[in-house]
Amino acid sequence: MATINLSANEKKLLRQMYWRSFTLYSSVTPAKQGASGYEYAMLPFINQFYEDAEDKKLAMVRQMSYFNTNLAMAPFVMGITASMEKENAAKSNFNADSINAIKTSLMGPLAGIGDSIFWGVLKAIAAGVAIGLAKSGNFLAPIIFLLIFNIPVQVVRWYGGRLGYTLGSTYISKLYENGLINILTKAASIVGLIMVGAMTSNMVIFKVKWNMMMAGKTILKTQPVLDEIFKGLIPLAITLGCFYLLKKKNISINYLIFGIIILGIVVSLLGIA
């Protein structure tokens, strides 16, 4: 793997990013998740790479896009994002849309990997060791649990950010030189859309309870019929409707949230869902 020598200033920026990344989920909103924490971690790079105030503004808006991944894997994505912001600041023909495309495509798969390794495996191992010590009366059990779990997480966070920045700095320029960046951006956008579609299927739930009755007997179950037509049809329609209102009609996300809550209460009281 090709590597680059990081300057003293870049190492300083990466250290700042590491410490700031702890605030990733300190201010979470349904619409943005960890976006504000992500932008906070990116600010040292933005202030360093961009001299024009308008360019800084655009970069800050760009980094406020939706972001949600495993906390241990986040610095790796941040490192790649920082290297792409550096390229964008240096090259007038850089496709700025590729930055969020790459970020979106990475956060889903890395969330699955990070959750499986750190929450599914490492936490269970740490808990098993700590419980064994606790049963024997060892007062160090909770400390051992925290050490076993947190040391690997912090190692991955520290070196992941540097690895992401190095990979980005090494390969993004080559992709531009070879004309492959547009292909990468399109592929990343497709992966991102797949991830968003999977999230919609898993997180937006609307099961119709109303069935067609005749003489006190159910003659048609609505939900199975809808599933045969298109599985997840109503959740998809609700999601696309919210997207339309948000993007085309400029409806506030807060109004949409309250609207969905009210809709859920109404259909529940009516026995529809």
Side-chain angles (χ1 to χ4, degrees):
M1 179 182 68
T3 60
I4 62 171
N5 294 320
L6 299 176
S7 66
N9 187 54
E10 286 177 314
K11 291 179 180 178
K12 178 183 177 181
L13 292 173
L14 287 169
R15 286 195 299 271
Q16 291 177 329
M17 182 191 75
Y18 169 79
W19 291 113
R20 286 171 173 243
S21 67
F22 282 96
T23 68
L24 181 62
Y25 296 120
S26 61
S27 178
V28 175
T29 65
K32 298 289 187 178
Q33 289 296 323
S36 57
Y38 196 97
E39 182 192 4
Y40 179 67
M42 289 291 101
L43 276 178
F45 295 98
I46 293 173
N47 291 328
Q48 177 69 33
F49 298 150
Y50 296 101
E51 297 181 358
D52 183 71
E54 185 63 25
D55 290 337
K56 287 185 179 181
K57 177 182 176 181
L58 292 174
M60 291 174 69
V61 171
R62 186 163 51 244
Q63 296 308 325
M64 272 299 292
S65 63
Y66 178 93
F67 186 80
N68 187 21
T69 194
N70 181 272
L71 191 60
M73 311 303 285
F76 176 76
V77 185
M78 292 176 178
I80 291 180
T81 302
S83 68
M84 296 184 75
E85 290 289 2
K86 179 181 178 181
E87 291 292 324
N88 186 52
K91 296 179 180 179
S92 58
N93 64 337
F94 192 91
N95 182 6
D97 293 336
S98 64
I99 298 175
N100 275 340
I102 297 296
K103 185 169 72 172
T104 302
S105 68
L106 287 175
M107 67 181 185
L110 290 179
I113 295 172
D115 289 348
S116 298
I117 293 175
F118 296 107
W119 291 114
V121 177
L122 182 60
K123 187 175 73 170
I125 293 173
V129 174
I131 289 171
L133 293 173
K135 285 183 176 180
S136 63
N138 193 324
F139 71 95
L140 293 176
I143 298 175
I144 296 298
F145 169 79
L146 292 174
L147 290 176
I148 293 176
F149 180 76
N150 282 287
I151 289 176
V153 169
Q154 298 313 316
V155 169
V156 171
R157 283 169 45 77
W158 176 262
Y159 287 103
R162 291 171 174 251
L163 177 62
Y165 186 81
T166 301
L167 288 175
S169 299
T170 303
Y171 294 111
I172 295 299
S173 295
K174 291 183 179 180
L175 289 171
Y176 258 90
E177 293 171 2
N178 297 330
L180 297 176
I181 190 64
N182 291 330
I183 297 175
L184 177 64
T185 301
K186 185 174 182 179
S189 299
I190 292 172
V191 173
L193 289 172
I194 292 173
M195 191 233 12
V196 172
M199 289 176 59
T200 301
S201 176
N202 290 328
M203 299 177 67
V204 183
I205 301 173
F206 192 105
K207 293 185 178 181
V208 179
K209 296 181 180 179
W210 179 85
N211 298 315
M212 185 176 293
M213 308 286 291
M214 182 176 291
K217 295 182 179 180
T218 302
I219 62 172
L220 180 65
K221 292 185 177 181
T222 306
Q223 187 60 53
V225 172
L226 291 175
D227 289 341
E228 290 180 3
I229 297 173
F230 191 102
K231 192 170 182 65
L233 177 61
I234 296 181
L236 178 61
I238 293 173
T239 303
L240 293 178
C242 290
F243 181 78
Y244 173 78
L245 293 173
L246 185 66
K247 290 294 184 180
K248 300 298 183 180
K249 300 298 182 179
N250 295 319
I251 303 298
S252 170
I253 184 65
N254 294 323
Y255 289 134
L256 290 177
I257 291 173
F258 283 115
I260 291 297
I261 292 173
I262 293 171
L263 175 64
I265 294 173
V266 171
V267 297
S268 179
L269 292 175
L270 295 177
I272 298 175

